[in-house]
Amino acid sequence: MLIKKFLALCLFLLGFQVYAQTEIPGLRIKDEKTGKTLPLRIQKLDIQVKVLGRMAVTTLTYEFINETPRVLEGEFVFPLAEGRSVSRFALEVNGALREGGVVEKAKGREVFESVTRAAIDPGLLEKVKGNSFRARVYPVPARGTKQLLIAYEEELSFSSQGFLYQLPLNYAAPVANFSAEVSVSGGNPELVAKSGFKGEFKSISSGFVYETRLKNQALTRPLSFKVIPEKESQTLLQTDSDTGKTYFASRIALPAMAEKKTLPETLTLFFDTSGSASSRNIEKELDLLEGYFKKIANVKVNLIFFS
């Protein structure tokens, strides 16, 4: 019990940095009278999801409407769950989406300020605490609209029911025009019960597709579906074509192998105390370590905490 008590004491002294993902994606403006940030209404939202094997790419295209008589500067907020990474960002310029590039943070801010002074439409997407992303957007035209596109990639988690995809949607204000298209290759998909969407996937030559379109609809439930893979014993290969190039993804079932390991005399234990680890079952981890150290009996441990 000594190692368990020691770790628990260290965690208490260090404390966990808990970042709750309570932010709702959207474009916000600052109210000059109250100083509070207010969301701009979503005029249109289009979602494209592409699943190949267990990899998924999600692309969201927003169209925000500025109903005020003045030009606004806004802040686009987009929180992401751990394990997801932004792969694309584009901003509407002169009626068309212009793709963004990746630069160092200081350079990005410098460019943003310089083009703002030159009255050119800039967009600066930065990663902030946790796995959230923010973009300063200017200008949002008076009594006009502004489009933003953001895409991210993820590896779907596997459960007893298959690979699970979930896109949280938390827009209580009705979205005037909403559309979603999901294409899946390499498994049999179906919407899960807790999803806020109706219908079913249709079989096509390249896999399966799901489409939905809604008018003036509040989006308060997730877009969620599971993909049931083929037999794990099979070696699967899926191919897909995009922009004239062919890509492939494979899943190869490897035979289980086991061998007896020599017990260590010295080991280094890295223990994560960051906010992303706050939902872990620490008690279960400590029980596992306790049992492992009992089996080793005598060992030198280098304990390193990191965040």
Side-chain angles (χ1 to χ4, degrees):
M1 291 295 290
L2 182 60
I3 185 65
K4 187 173 181 180
K5 290 180 179 178
F6 176 71
L7 282 170
L9 176 60
C10 289
L11 291 175
F12 173 77
L13 293 174
L14 285 171
F16 274 97
Q17 303 173 36
V18 181
Y19 299 133
Q21 292 191 346
T22 57
E23 290 185 307
I24 299 174
L27 183 60
R28 303 173 185 173
I29 60 169
K30 194 170 186 178
D31 188 296
E32 296 178 352
K33 294 181 179 179
T34 64
K36 296 181 179 179
T37 55
L38 303 174
L40 280 185
R41 186 164 63 87
I42 300 174
Q43 176 74 10
K44 183 178 180 181
L45 173 58
D46 176 72
I47 297 173
Q48 301 284 323
V49 182
K50 197 166 189 177
V51 179
L52 180 61
R54 66 180 301 174
M55 298 302 299
V57 179
T58 303
T59 304
L60 302 100
T61 304
Y62 291 90
E63 183 178 279
F64 299 96
I65 183 168
N66 175 12
E67 298 171 299
T68 72
R70 65 185 189 279
V71 176
L72 300 174
E73 177 177 340
E75 180 183 67
F76 179 65
V77 179
F78 196 81
L80 276 178
E82 292 296 327
R84 299 174 181 177
S85 57
V86 170
S87 57
R88 186 182 172 198
F89 178 66
L91 178 68
E92 180 185 5
V93 179
N94 296 328
L97 287 172
R98 179 177 292 181
E99 298 289 334
V102 179
V103 296
E104 293 182 356
K105 180 178 287 188
K107 179 66 174 178
R109 288 178 175 172
E110 178 185 338
V111 171
F112 180 91
E113 298 297 343
S114 64
V115 297
T116 300
R117 288 192 295 270
I120 302 174
D121 294 9
L124 177 65
L125 183 72
E126 296 180 292
K127 185 176 181 180
V128 291
K129 69 178 182 180
N131 200 32
S132 291
F133 293 81
R134 294 177 187 269
R136 295 166 60 191
V137 179
Y138 178 86
V140 183
R143 303 197 189 281
T145 60
K146 192 76 168 181
Q147 280 193 331
L148 282 164
L149 180 149
I150 190 166
Y152 64 88
E153 301 176 0
E154 63 181 308
E155 184 175 1
L156 301 183
S157 58
F158 184 76
S159 68
S160 58
Q161 296 180 329
F163 296 112
L164 180 64
Y165 174 91
Q166 183 160 300
L167 173 62
L169 296 170
N170 190 12
Y171 300 106
V175 176
N177 298 281
F178 173 80
S179 60
E181 179 180 321
V182 181
S183 61
V184 177
S185 177
N188 300 309
E190 60 180 68
L191 294 174
V192 300
K194 63 183 178 181
S195 176
F197 297 88
K198 298 179 181 180
E200 58 185 27
F201 282 85
K202 295 179 180 179
S203 178
I204 57 175
S205 59
S206 59
F208 295 85
V209 66
Y210 171 78
E211 294 178 296
T212 185
R213 284 174 171 76
L214 301 171
K215 293 281 189 180
N216 299 314
Q217 181 73 41
L219 305 170
T220 57
R221 300 182 68 185
L223 172 60
S224 182
F225 60 88
K226 61 183 178 182
V227 181
I228 303 171
E230 305 292 338
K231 293 181 180 179
E232 288 295 320
S233 59
Q234 280 187 306
T235 297
L236 298 180
L237 176 67
Q238 296 99 35
T239 61
D240 195 14
S241 297
D242 188 22
T243 64
K245 297 181 180 180
T246 300
Y247 302 85
F248 75 91
S250 65
R251 185 174 77 246
I252 302 173
L254 300 176
M257 299 177 65
E259 63 180 26
K260 188 174 181 180
K261 284 190 173 183
T262 303
L263 295 178
E265 296 180 358
T266 302
L267 62 84
T268 301
L269 175 62
F270 292 88
F271 211 88
D272 186 2
T273 64
S274 62
S276 59
S278 60
S279 59
R280 287 168 26 204
N281 189 335
I282 301 298
E283 188 68 24
K284 190 173 182 179
E285 292 183 17
L286 297 181
D287 288 339
L288 175 65
L289 287 172
E290 185 73 20
Y292 184 59
F293 287 128
K294 282 182 179 179
K295 181 178 178 63
I296 300 177
N298 295 314
V299 63
K300 178 183 177 182
V301 180
N302 300 312
L303 181 60
I304 299 175
F305 292 97
F306 72 93
S307 174

